[in-house]
Amino acid sequence: MTDDGLQKPIRMTRQRCVILDQLRKMKCHPSADEVYQRVREELPRVSLGTIYRNLDVLCECGLIQRLETAGTQRRFDGNAGEHYHVRCIVCDRIDDIELDVPDEIEQRAREAGDFDIVGHRLEFVGICPACRKARSQNASTN
Ligand SMILES: [Zn+2]
Ligand SMILES: [Zn+2]
């Protein structure tokens, strides 16, 4: 490991540009495999291993983020800013959710335990519109 805690400027290779570009266009918080499918349309010879490596690099330099949600697959987010997510418990779809969470939530967490709180993650769970619709259709045919 050469991580010295500093954000190193990275060389934006063509591959990285394309990966970053595609990821920012995808609002669905894709898995590495889904990013790979998209990038391959532009760079047919790219390998899945290259996608993984570059996603890691882009995460490390803070250009994208890795979602720390409870879903089945590791997912990525082209929006590295602080924002919140809602995950469908049926199909695992993850959407952004616009929400103002008061800063005092971290102060409260500090007071409630003995950790130095440096940030927080908040994941909402629910049922997405498509799954809700499928459920109500199932219910009406029974
Ligand atoms: Zn769903
Ligand atoms: Zn997001």
Side-chain angles (χ1 to χ4, degrees), residues 27 29 65 67 76-81 83-85 94-97:
K27 298 285 172 229
H29 305 89
Q65 59 176 310
L67 292 191
F76 295 88
D77 193 337
N79 176 359
H83 64 284
Y84 301 100
H85 295 111
I94 298 175
D95 276 18
D96 290 337
I97 194 163

Side-chain angles (χ1 to χ4, degrees), residues 50-68:
T50 301
I51 299 287
Y52 271 112
R53 266 196 309 281
N54 282 303
L55 284 170
D56 281 344
V57 171
L58 291 169
C59 283
E60 273 158 32
C61 63
L63 285 170
I64 64 171
Q65 59 176 310
R66 201 181 273 124
L67 292 191
E68 295 173 37

Side-chain angles (χ1 to χ4, degrees), residues 7-97:
Q7 296 223 339
K8 282 171 250 123
I10 60 161
R11 214 160 44 87
M12 281 308 281
T13 59
R14 165 121 174 92
Q15 284 173 340
R16 280 177 197 161
C17 285
V18 174
I19 292 169
L20 187 59
D21 208 48
Q22 287 297 338
L23 189 56
R24 285 188 172 156
K25 275 191 243 167
M26 297 168 85
K27 298 285 172 229
C28 60
H29 305 89
S31 64
D33 201 56
E34 288 166 322
V35 174
Y36 171 57
Q37 301 303 336
R38 287 289 192 94
V39 170
R40 226 165 44 152
E41 291 169 17
E42 251 181 278
L43 305 171
R45 278 197 289 272
V46 78
S47 71
L48 183 57
T50 301
I51 299 287
Y52 271 112
R53 266 196 309 281
N54 282 303
L55 284 170
D56 281 344
V57 171
L58 291 169
C59 283
E60 273 158 32
C61 63
L63 285 170
I64 64 171
Q65 59 176 310
R66 201 181 273 124
L67 292 191
E68 295 173 37
T69 54
T72 46
Q73 281 207 69
R74 260 216 305 201
R75 318 264 294 248
F76 295 88
D77 193 337
N79 176 359
E82 187 158 289
H83 64 284
Y84 301 100
H85 295 111
V86 58
R87 179 171 60 88
C88 177
I89 53 172
V90 181
C91 70
D92 244 13
R93 164 178 159 182
I94 298 175
D95 276 18
D96 290 337
I97 194 163

Side-chain angles (χ1 to χ4, degrees), residues 86-90 125-133 135:
V86 58
R87 179 171 60 88
C88 177
I89 53 172
V90 181
V125 289
I127 298 167
C128 77
C131 291
R132 195 168 56 223
K133 204 169 150 207
R135 283 193 166 192

